Amino acid sequence: MAPAQAHGVPVVPDSVIVPEAVRSGIAVEINGERFVHTGDPQMPLLWYLRDVLQLTGTKYGGEHGGNGTDLVLVNDKPVSAIGQPMAKLAGKRITTVEGLAANDGTLHPLQQAFIDEDAIGCGYCIPGWLIAGVDLLKRKPHPDDGDIDQLPNSCRCGVQARVRAAIKRAAAGKAGQA
Amino acid sequence: MSADTAKGIRLSRRRFLQILAGAAGALVVGVRVAEAGDAPLPPEWLGNDFHDLGAYVRIDTEGNVLIGARDPDTGTGVATALPMIIADELDADWNRVSVVHLGLGVETGGNGKPQWTYGRQRGGTGDSIPAAWADLRYAGALARWLLTQAAAHRLGVAADRLRCEAGTVIAPDGRRVTYGSLVDDASKLDLPAQPPTPKPPQRYTLIGKPVGDVDAHAIVTGQAKYAIDHHEAEALVAVLLHCPWPDGSLASIDTAPALAVKGVVKVMQLKPEPGQPPGQTVIAPAVAVLAENTWAALQGRGKLKLEWKPGASASESSAALEQQAVALLGSQSAPTTRVRDDGDVEKAAKHAAIRVDATYYQPWLAHACAEPMNCLARIDKDQAGLVVPTQAPQQAFAVVQRLTGIAPGNIEIRVPRVGGGYGRRLDHDYVAEAVLLAKAMNKSVRLLWPQSEDFTHDYYRPASVYKVSAAIDRKRNVSAWNQRVASASALAGRGVPADRQWSSEVSADQLPAGLVPNFRSDWYAQASALPRGPHRAMPHLANAFAAESFIDEIAHQLREDPLKTRLRLIGEPRNIALGGGRMLDTGRLRNVLQLVADRIGWKDWLHSVNGLGIACWHMDGAYVAHAVETSLQNDTLGIERVVCAVDVGRAINPLGLAGQVSGATLDALSTALNLAITTRDGKVQQHDWKDYPLASMAQLPDSVETIIVPDDDRPPTGASFLAMPTAAPALANAVFRVSAVRVRRLPLMKEFLRLQ
Ligand code: FES
């Protein structure tokens, strides 16, 4: 519905197409959306996510990737976001913890299983565990303890036993049945 | 009369309940600590300056309940447990409750001094729940009382004939009125003359039920904002580099290469203020690189060309300190403090049938918080705003006020969920840094410590050497226990009198105090330049490892089942006064011990191919025991099973409690297995998670079997670190059973490999 002209305010059409400015930069897809990084190509993905996009779910945990706190999926492979300069990421598909749930907000079964198992200490390392766990479940829908042992994360709050239970719950298709 | 009611009467004089009709038609209820003395003040003297969310409870006309969690949640679950206490008293529908992390509640009092809106605010020290237990029930009870009074008017039924359930007031004839529809009326009522009586425990509907962490959804979706995630337009990022020696200084610096990095704005120096106690000023001389974003600041930091000048501490090393401790304990010198001296140790030793001696060595430990030290600070002329991951906002406030002189009511401190604390964030050196930088730059500053700084500039848990000797009489009873501990006090320099500095290192009522007729505990002070401070469960962590390992050694000497030795030592159920009003309830101690023994299958311990180990402890009125099963295959040590039993009195949130037990157990095992901070030439040698490796999934047991003793007759005690002290000795005892290797030095893995 177009607003009527009143008090000399110009009529605004229903939709306006503004051509996007031509920018050169590094195009990446993050959680299904396209972004173009125009800053320093050497900036690690972690700081692009956290400082530029303010997607702060991926946590800083040290210059060498901490304890897996900064894991993200790049083309479905878990990698440490601080070790990935933007220059290496042109055209790549990136998933962060913010991108694990479906668009309608439905949680990934592993996210739901973390809630069901109360697999949370301070919570700071949890996004990293989720990325590693989602990747594991994708590769091995029914991981055994030995598979879970391979996860690269660790946690000062001691959440490991509850994470193991959450992964098993998600694998058993029981997430959401707390 | 229960202890609870007695406390209630005292509280009713000291604390005041207040209602406030919120601007948007909400009922807001708070508890206020009176300013002066114990005299009751009329509510109108207390002012009504409950801003934003009010104090604790806010019910809107739709029936939504917002509850403030006053203590910082560092992962201890208090943001869930404290609101549960209010919600239960209020008979709220938990599904309609949201919880907000309260920032510091501070106002300028009449004399210009700070006045705390919410009373005590501190987290991760194990006392949140006991401290909140009385206050928060009154807040909930007052809100319920007001709503019931309003409903009584509406329904024409006496208030005492109404009952409340899940956000509704119900009349005897079945008529129901929702809280939301009563809010307007209730907020116009006068306060009762006496605080309403909280519910009898039989009527609890939420307390004691398993409730998931209130922040869980936000955390698993990456939406939870920690302090480190807060942005402010125009804020500069400051990345720190500290001098390796706390008493060192900057010899030379060339800032040009750092300033040449695109985005770097300034390089600044910071120094500890002389005379300020640890934790209230900069921890060591430092250089801050301020830049438009973190990446630029980090690059700039990497390009700093500087040299530090060592201070006197550059001659210190952890190895030399340990040798010194051994020498001190081997000498005839008098202890710095005789902490406890029951009976006559010398006499008992003279009549001993058997003597057992051992020395235990424990390393320096770092806090290793997942969220690095950081702080967002904005300082204007007469306003300050901070977002801080702190365990003690009131102490953070003191630092801000000292450095800025801003009136208390104009200092805003927000405390979102905190990424780990364990005692590190009771100190506020990083807050001082952020304030100094923000003041100098006249701009918001987001301070960040690269995580390596956290490892090299911590307030470490001091290393200690324990020399213990016991006398066993002819009846095979422990007749004397003589322990001597040497360490550098974590309290040194903190304004604690010299004769109390032992208290961070030795617990005066540690087991087996009270159980052994002749018991002596001596502490020898050591000097060290390394910053020291509170650490999770200290001093219990170190004490329990030595004492509970040693009891196992005694059992071995007696060729006795170590469970039996412990049960004989503990004796029949009774209460033993330990001094200072503290009691040891041997029945509760026995119970947790027996529970873990039964669960792990202790009866078969002699026949097990694997090794079983056990340990028990008590602290601050709570009881804990661990049983651990270890395996040894091809020289590889494995932890097969862990069982932990706790008795904390009433459990507010058993799910949260089980999480704390599981978490603290795994943290303790991880620490015992791998972790140590060492120094050489006065410098900390660990910089990274690689040098300070928390246990991997594979190293830890698959689960922690948790037993919570149902105990509704006692008020709740804290539990965030209760399961720390006994895990390591139970592990070491199990390692001995499976390998015949007695590990007396932590970290265990390294020592095991050396001895094996
Ligand atoms: S939950 Fe706190 S570090 Fe993992």
Side-chain angles (χ1 to χ4, degrees):
Chain A
M1 185 185 62
Q5 169 123 29
H7 309 298
V9 178
V11 172
V12 179
D14 272 352
S15 73
V16 183
I17 295 168
V18 182
E20 224 191 295
V22 180
R23 291 192 294 167
S24 62
I26 297 158
V28 286
E29 186 192 308
I30 299 173
N31 301 333
E33 283 189 67
R34 269 176 53 91
F35 296 91
V36 180
H37 171 59
T38 54
D40 180 355
Q42 290 314 309
M43 180 187 280
L45 172 62
L46 180 75
W47 300 117
Y48 180 62
L49 293 170
R50 291 185 53 84
D51 275 4
V52 182
L53 303 183
Q54 297 187 16
L55 273 175
T56 53
T58 310
K59 302 299 188 206
Y60 170 68
E63 294 311 298
H64 306 289
N67 284 316
T69 49
D70 68 343
L71 287 178
V72 295
L73 298 173
V74 173
N75 286 0
D76 294 329
K77 291 243 168 0
V79 293
S80 162
I82 206 163
Q84 302 289 311
M86 291 305 289
K88 271 178 60 186
L89 296 174
K92 297 273 164 71
R93 202 161 24 81
I94 294 152
T95 305
T96 70
V97 67
E98 288 96 336
L100 293 181
N103 284 340
D104 68 355
T106 309
L107 297 181
H108 184 283
L110 188 59
Q111 288 175 307
Q112 184 59 50
F114 267 64
I115 295 177
D116 297 341
E117 293 291 342
D118 208 35
I120 285 163
C122 69
Y124 191 85
C125 70
I126 298 302
W129 284 102
L130 281 163
I131 293 288
V134 163
D135 166 65
L136 172 62
L137 287 170
K138 198 156 182 196
R139 288 185 284 115
K140 290 211 168 184
H142 298 285
D144 59 24
D145 280 321
D147 299 323
I148 297 173
D149 282 346
Q150 303 306 313
L151 292 181
N153 315 58
S154 58
C155 167
R156 169 76 216 265
C157 296
V159 84
Q160 291 88 339
R162 287 173 282 164
V163 168
R164 189 182 294 272
I167 292 173
K168 289 179 176 175
R169 177 187 281 268
K174 287 205 183 120
Q177 301 169 34
Chain B
M1 188 173 66
S2 76
D4 249 306
T5 351
K7 200 171 181 194
I9 290 164
R10 195 158 49 75
L11 277 166
S12 68
R13 276 199 267 119
R14 196 157 54 80
R15 291 173 193 252
F16 297 89
L17 304 165
Q18 179 160 21
I19 37 170
L20 180 80
L27 174 66
V28 179
V29 174
V31 179
R32 160 86 57 116
V33 179
E35 254 223 85
D38 262 353
L41 295 176
E44 55 274 20
W45 288 19
L46 299 171
N48 62 356
D49 184 26
F50 288 102
H51 21 77
D52 295 336
L53 300 164
Y56 288 133
V57 197
R58 182 185 198 278
I59 309 166
D60 69 15
T61 50
E62 309 277 294
N64 299 308
V65 179
L66 184 61
I67 298 183
R70 70 174 177 186
D71 287 354
D73 197 328
T74 54
T76 58
V78 288
T80 306
L82 300 190
M84 280 174 73
I85 298 173
I86 298 179
D88 199 325
E89 276 302 333
L90 175 61
D91 283 314
D93 175 357
W94 185 251
N95 296 318
R96 307 278 310 261
V97 170
S98 353
V99 170
V100 60
H101 292 259
L102 291 173
L104 178 63
V106 61
E107 295 144 46
T108 310
N111 50 5
K113 292 234 169 74
Q115 184 170 302
W116 311 120
T117 314
Y118 312 132
R120 160 207 187 284
Q121 290 186 273
R122 195 172 60 197
T125 44
D127 46 3
S128 285
I129 287 181
W133 181 235
D135 287 13
L136 301 195
R137 281 186 305 157
Y138 284 111
L142 175 62
R144 175 164 46 83
W145 185 87
L146 291 162
L147 292 160
T148 314
Q149 296 298 316
H153 275 280
R154 175 99 44 99
L155 297 168
V157 178
D160 58 5
R161 299 189 56 218
L162 298 171
R163 66 187 177 91
C164 298
E165 191 185 298
T168 318
V169 187
I170 305 168
D173 60 9
R175 283 180 298 159
R176 306 165 80 93
V177 205
T178 63
Y179 283 2
S181 71
L182 292 167
V183 155
D184 280 340
D185 293 353
S187 61
K188 292 188 189 94
L189 294 174
D190 286 334
L191 285 167
Q194 287 291 320
T197 321
K199 280 178 173 183
Q202 312 82 273
R203 294 208 2 244
Y204 290 151
T205 51
L206 194 56
I207 291 172
K209 298 265 155 37
V211 169
D213 192 300
V214 291
D215 292 328
H217 189 276
I219 286 169
V220 301
T221 53
Q223 302 302 320
K225 291 263 183 277
Y226 295 77
I228 202 171
D229 300 327
H230 280 71
H231 284 76
E232 202 165 278
E234 310 281 296
L236 292 174
V237 176
V239 165
L240 272 275
L241 175 66
H242 291 91
C243 173
W245 304 282
D247 58 353
S249 55
L250 192 60
S252 70
I253 184 164
D254 176 5
T255 59
L259 287 167
V261 173
K262 190 163 172 267
V264 171
V265 173
K266 198 167 173 88
V267 176
M268 278 184 62
Q269 292 179 37
L270 294 169
K271 274 192 220 128
E273 300 152 83
Q276 283 299 326
Q280 295 179 38
T281 182
V282 181
I283 191 168
V287 175
V289 177
L290 294 112
E292 282 157 9
N293 62 62
T294 318
W295 171 233
L298 283 168
Q299 280 180 295
R301 179 181 181 271
K303 293 224 154 61
L304 284 174
K305 285 207 174 5
L306 49 75
E307 264 171 78
W308 300 107
K309 198 165 120 228
S313 68
S315 56
E316 188 175 318
S317 80
S318 46
L321 273 172
E322 186 184 292
Q323 280 171 13
Q324 205 188 80
V326 171
L328 199 54
L329 297 181
S331 73
Q332 294 303 314
S333 49
T336 310
T337 309
R338 177 142 292 173
V339 174
R340 191 175 188 108
D341 198 12
D342 301 344
D344 187 339
V345 167
E346 271 92 17
K347 196 166 146 212
K350 232 181 271 158
H351 296 106
I354 309 173
R355 252 189 75 149
V356 187
D357 296 276
T359 306
Y360 300 90
Y361 304 83
Q362 301 189 61
W364 294 86
L365 292 177
H367 292 90
C369 294
E371 179 188 2
M373 297 310 117
N374 72 92
C375 178
L376 169 62
R378 172 183 44 75
I379 310 292
D380 300 331
K381 218 167 64 253
D382 53 0
Q383 297 272 337
L386 287 92
V387 185
V388 197
T390 173
Q391 292 177 248
Q394 282 150 350
Q395 274 74 51
F397 164 88
V399 171
V400 178
Q401 219 211 352
R402 178 175 65 77
L403 292 173
T404 65
I406 293 172
N410 291 347
I411 297 175
E412 192 200 351
I413 295 186
R414 285 162 64 193
V415 187
R417 192 168 176 113
V418 183
Y422 327 107
R424 171 63 178 93
R425 298 188 215 261
L426 295 167
D427 282 317
H428 296 97
D429 49 310
Y430 55 102
V431 172
E433 292 173 343
V435 168
L436 291 170
L437 293 171
K439 236 171 82 171
M441 297 305 291
N442 215 352
K443 234 179 171 191
S444 300
V445 167
R446 275 206 290 144
L447 175 93
L448 174 73
W449 283 29
Q451 198 140 29
S452 53
E453 296 290 306
D454 273 2
F455 288 106
T456 50
H457 291 86
D458 197 358
Y459 298 93
Y460 303 92
R461 199 291 303 266
S464 59
V465 177
Y466 272 70
K467 222 168 151 57
V468 201
S469 97
I472 317 291
D473 65 19
R474 278 193 307 270
K475 290 190 198 123
R476 296 160 60 80
N477 292 322
V478 182
S479 54
W481 180 290
N482 191 356
Q483 68 173 38
R484 312 206 294 153
V485 179
S487 68
S489 171
L491 292 169
R494 290 177 180 263
V496 175
D499 63 352
R500 290 294 301 171
Q501 301 226 340
W502 57 269
S503 61
S504 61
E505 309 305 306
V506 194
S507 151
D509 44 11
Q510 69 152 77
L511 287 175
L515 301 175
V516 174
N518 306 292
F519 181 96
R520 178 181 288 170
S521 171
D522 284 340
W523 179 67
Y524 292 79
Q526 287 192 279
S528 162
L530 213 54
R532 283 125 30 217
H535 191 269
R536 202 173 186 187
M538 118 187 252
H540 297 280
L541 191 63
N543 292 186
F545 176 71
E548 284 294 287
S549 298
F550 190 60
I551 290 174
D552 240 55
E553 301 213 37
I554 293 174
H556 184 66
Q557 290 276 322
L558 294 173
R559 296 182 205 294
E560 186 175 51
D561 172 348
L563 173 63
K564 197 172 157 207
T565 309
R566 279 189 178 76
L567 290 172
R568 283 205 299 122
L569 188 61
I570 295 169
E572 289 314 303
R574 65 205 187 280
N575 280 314
I576 298 173
L578 292 167
R582 288 176 305 272
M583 282 288 183
L584 168 63
D585 182 335
T586 55
R588 293 172 81 189
L589 185 63
R590 266 189 103 88
N591 186 40
V592 286
L593 188 63
Q594 198 66 62
L595 282 168
V596 295
D598 290 348
R599 175 69 76 85
I600 205 139
W602 191 269
K603 279 198 305 295
D604 306 320
W605 76 285
L606 271 179
H607 313 293
S608 174
V609 220
N610 288 343
L612 297 185
I614 202 164
C616 61
W617 204 244
H618 76 108
M619 49 200 277
D620 306 329
Y623 297 81
V624 59
H626 269 103
V628 173
E629 179 179 342
T630 50
S631 64
L632 190 60
Q633 273 174 349
N634 312 323
D635 292 350
T636 304
L637 199 59
I639 305 176
E640 298 303 321
R641 276 183 79 195
V642 177
V643 183
C644 181
V646 294
D647 176 351
V648 298
R650 177 181 296 283
I652 304 292
N653 179 8
L655 185 66
L657 176 58
Q660 292 307 304
V661 168
S662 172
T665 298
L666 296 183
D667 183 18
L669 293 174
S670 174
T671 304
L673 285 169
N674 303 335
L675 302 183
I677 290 288
T678 54
T679 56
R680 190 181 292 163
D681 301 328
K683 282 195 264 191
V684 171
Q685 295 180 291
Q686 289 70 29
H687 296 87
D688 198 335
W689 297 109
K690 286 191 201 73
D691 313 323
Y692 198 76
L694 302 177
S696 66
M697 259 313 199
Q699 273 187 302
L700 293 172
D702 292 350
S703 68
V704 179
E705 297 166 52
T706 303
I707 304 168
I708 295 173
V709 176
D711 190 347
D712 289 348
D713 295 334
R714 294 184 178 85
T717 54
S720 57
F721 41 70
L722 178 61
M724 286 290 288
T726 42
L731 170 66
N733 295 340
V735 166
F736 177 69
R737 295 293 149 191
V738 79
S739 66
V741 172
R742 171 57 67 181
V743 174
R744 297 193 184 92
R745 174 190 292 276
L746 295 179
L748 184 142
M749 214 34 122
K750 195 170 158 213
E751 183 70 355
F752 177 77
L753 294 174
R754 189 179 73 83
L755 294 175
Q756 198 194 19

